[in-house]
Amino acid sequence: MTTDTPTLPEDTGRKTRVLACTNGSAGSGKSTTAAALAYAAAKKKKLVCVIGLDKQRDISRLLGYDDPDGDEELPTMFDVVDKICSLAEAVVPAKDTKTKEFIPNLWVVLESKKLDKLEFKLADQTARELWLYRIIGELRGRFDFIIFDCPGDVKQATIGAIIASDEVVGCTKSQEKEARGLTELEDKIAEVAMAYGHTGMPTGINWVVINEGVEHKAQGKVYKDMEDQLREAYGDIVLETVGDDVKVPEAYTAGRPVTLFSPQCRAAQAFTKIGRQMKLYR
């Protein structure tokens, strides 16, 4: 950790992987997954930028900024949409909520509650689905990874993130509502790809992360059966299950990624393994 304000990395032409953590349903663990993977990769000395797209502002809080709207000096993603600043100008260094120190190698584009007006702001734009695709180039070449933390729907924010991404990370739980959200997400990706497939956008879900999973049927047969169905449906792209772990809600309450809050807990170890499975680091 450091108290010296890190500067935005220069564009060195490095290969940047852009990932969208998403689901058609809320409460599927998107922010938890995005923050945990981002911190784990940064800890491995990868340069990472997380872009928050949810009016709930969970990822902003997990990366050190409890109320971005409360500080007029802080740029937010809505300021980018409103053309007050560029995407590159909106990037700020992530912080440890507990120590207030900057987290090395990790940056974030903060969210705003005004993002609930995104649909209205983009309404008169031609091919508005490309709104993020048009500007993501400002950050490619600067980071090893860019991670979009999407809201719990498949409207303009999520659609824009998918088109601007290289890979889609479907976040879910071993419950029917979140599993249905993956199906809705697949349908939307297929629909959008018919119009914008020429951009090189993903044509399906690339990875599936199951949060709050169970280890055996004794913990809940219905949940275990749903997890088995997800693995049968999605096969090898289903990664290590993140088991139900009290440290996850504790980390959320503390406003810290679980991989930072409790690196040795079961959930943090699972997310660290997921990062390896995704080849984010060795």
Side-chain angles (χ1 to χ4, degrees):
M1 304 291 180
T2 177
T3 55
D4 297 328
T5 305
T7 58
L8 180 69
E10 293 292 328
D11 183 351
T12 62
R14 70 176 68 234
K15 180 175 175 57
T16 302
R17 284 173 65 185
V18 184
L19 307 105
C21 290
T22 184
N23 186 301
S25 172
S28 56
K30 298 177 297 297
S31 299
T32 294
T33 299
L37 292 178
Y39 179 79
K43 190 71 174 175
K44 297 287 187 179
K45 303 191 183 307
K46 303 297 183 181
L47 298 180
V48 186
C49 180
V50 182
I51 299 178
L53 298 172
D54 193 345
K55 66 180 181 181
Q56 299 298 329
R57 296 160 290 164
D58 284 340
I59 200 69
S60 301
R61 183 171 175 275
L62 289 169
L63 296 182
Y65 297 86
D66 188 55
D67 182 19
D69 291 308
D71 186 342
E72 293 184 358
E73 299 299 316
L74 283 175
T76 69
M77 192 66 214
F78 192 78
D79 292 328
V80 178
V81 176
D82 216 17
K83 295 183 170 53
I84 294 173
C85 66
S86 69
L87 181 60
E89 290 170 338
V91 177
V92 297
K95 295 191 294 186
D96 182 334
T97 299
K98 180 179 179 181
T99 66
K100 307 303 180 185
E101 295 179 337
F102 296 114
I103 301 174
N105 308 317
L106 185 55
W107 284 260
V108 58
V109 176
L110 301 171
E111 299 146 304
S112 167
K113 58 188 176 184
K114 296 177 185 176
L115 284 168
D116 64 354
K117 301 186 178 84
L118 182 64
E119 304 275 326
F120 172 76
K121 292 294 293 186
L122 297 175
D124 61 351
Q125 288 193 19
T126 302
R128 59 185 179 274
E129 291 83 2
L130 296 174
W131 72 282
L132 272 174
Y133 177 81
R134 293 186 179 110
I135 60 176
I136 195 63
E138 296 179 32
L139 301 185
R140 284 188 183 270
R142 299 176 185 268
F143 297 97
D144 294 297
F145 306 108
I146 297 170
I147 302 175
F148 289 116
D149 180 40
C150 299
D153 55 46
V154 283
K155 297 180 181 178
Q156 287 302 326
T158 299
I159 293 169
I162 290 169
I163 295 173
S165 294
D166 303 312
E167 303 164 45
V168 172
V169 183
C171 302
T172 187
K173 294 180 180 177
S174 49
Q175 299 177 31
E176 185 176 354
K177 178 175 75 74
E178 288 78 14
R180 284 202 313 268
L182 285 186
T183 302
E184 180 183 351
L185 176 63
E186 281 188 299
D187 292 343
K188 180 57 71 173
I189 293 173
E191 176 187 329
V192 173
M194 290 180 66
Y196 299 108
H198 64 278
T199 64
M201 64 167 282
T203 56
I205 297 173
N206 301 90
W207 311 101
V208 173
V209 176
I210 303 173
N211 288 276
E212 296 183 18
V214 298
E215 295 181 0
H216 44 74
K217 291 185 186 294
Q219 292 178 292
K221 183 178 184 302
V222 173
Y223 299 143
K224 187 64 172 66
D225 287 347
M226 180 57 68
E227 183 179 326
D228 291 342
Q229 290 175 36
L230 286 166
R231 291 191 173 278
E232 182 177 350
Y234 293 100
D236 292 342
I237 68 170
V238 181
L239 305 173
E240 179 80 2
T241 296
V242 182
D244 194 11
D245 189 336
V246 68
K247 293 298 182 181
V248 173
E250 287 180 1
Y252 179 83
T253 300
R256 304 171 87 195
V258 69
T259 41
L260 168 62
F261 177 76
S262 182
Q264 300 306 316
C265 75
R266 288 186 306 142
Q269 291 293 305
F271 278 121
T272 301
K273 183 175 180 179
I274 286 169
R276 292 195 190 96
Q277 290 174 320
M278 294 174 66
K279 294 182 170 55
L280 303 183
Y281 46 77
R282 296 183 179 180

